Amino acid sequence: MKIKRKIKKVLFISGSRAEFFILEKLFYETLKYFDTKILLHAGHTQKKYGQLIKDIKKDISKKNILSIKTNFGNSNNELQIIKSFAKQVDKIGKKLLSEKPSVVILVGDRTETLAAASASVICNIPIIHIHGGELSLGSMDEKLRHAISKLSSIHFVSHKIYKKRLIQMGE
């Protein structure tokens, strides 16, 4: 799928420490060329996970950071995950409608990422997905990653094997 509109506004969305550290260098590089923001939510805002948002705010200008609280409790049982997922789709969707990015950049395979991808598709915003096609045998993550890949418009993979897997999936 080709993106028919010019990319002017880029929105990175991250819900976990691991995602942020993968996106960090790309985020800083993108800042040089586009109106770029990062939306931090889920684990970034929770004390249990170290509130990484506080450290990120030391390094990134406030005008480039958006944040929302999206998780219920510890978000580690099915009911809490379901509630958090619904809240994430709702709040991320509202941010997407107000910010109107040209493209959203996501990484990985978590429920927070699937929520961001779902909201982006509903808002008709193309998704760039990083790390699609990888395997996490026996875990829910693999199904989530493949669903995110199917919702995405542009793919950046970490190895040619993962590129082949995405092509086999029809991407």
Side-chain angles (χ1 to χ4, degrees):
M1 174 182 180
K2 289 187 179 182
I3 298 176
K4 295 180 182 179
R5 53 188 156 181
K6 287 188 178 186
I7 297 175
K8 295 176 184 172
K9 238 178 146 176
V10 177
L11 180 63
F12 289 77
I13 301 177
S14 176
S16 77
R17 178 181 302 272
E19 291 172 0
F20 178 76
F21 291 124
I22 292 169
L23 293 172
E24 187 176 21
K25 286 184 182 180
L26 181 59
F27 174 80
Y28 286 119
E29 194 63 28
T30 306
L31 271 172
K32 297 175 187 176
Y33 304 99
F34 303 100
D35 177 4
T36 303
K37 292 183 180 177
I38 188 162
L39 173 59
L40 303 171
H41 72 106
H44 289 298
T45 63
Q46 291 180 286
K47 280 186 181 180
K48 178 180 179 173
Y49 301 109
Q51 287 182 309
L52 183 62
I53 192 168
K54 289 180 180 180
D55 294 328
I56 294 171
K57 285 182 174 181
K58 292 176 187 173
D59 297 329
I60 298 174
S61 170
K62 288 180 184 177
K63 71 177 185 169
N64 298 104
I65 298 177
L66 305 169
S67 66
I68 51 177
K69 292 192 176 193
T70 59
N71 282 23
F72 284 93
N74 293 329
S75 297
N76 58 7
N77 72 44
E78 289 89 352
L79 183 58
Q80 289 176 335
I81 292 169
I82 290 166
K83 285 180 165 182
S84 294
F85 183 83
K87 191 174 182 181
Q88 289 160 5
V89 172
D90 177 56
K91 288 191 166 197
I92 292 169
K94 288 174 182 172
K95 283 288 184 191
L96 292 171
L97 291 172
S98 67
E99 291 295 320
K100 298 179 178 28
S102 307
V103 67
V104 165
I105 299 178
L106 306 173
V107 64
D109 57 10
R110 300 173 53 87
T111 55
E112 299 93 336
T113 311
L114 181 59
S118 300
S120 298
V121 167
I122 291 166
C123 293
N124 197 31
I125 300 167
I127 300 165
I128 295 173
H129 184 217
I130 300 169
H131 284 290
E134 296 178 10
L135 292 177
S136 303
L137 297 174
S139 79
M140 175 175 57
D141 295 352
E142 183 169 341
K143 292 177 182 180
L144 297 174
R145 182 184 304 106
H146 293 334
I148 295 161
S149 290
K150 294 302 280 185
L151 296 172
S152 298
S153 304
I154 298 172
H155 305 274
F156 290 99
V157 296
S158 61
H159 194 279
K160 63 184 176 183
I161 292 170
Y162 306 137
K163 175 183 175 183
K164 182 178 178 182
R165 187 168 293 119
L166 282 177
I167 291 169
Q168 289 172 334
M169 290 171 50
E171 297 304 306

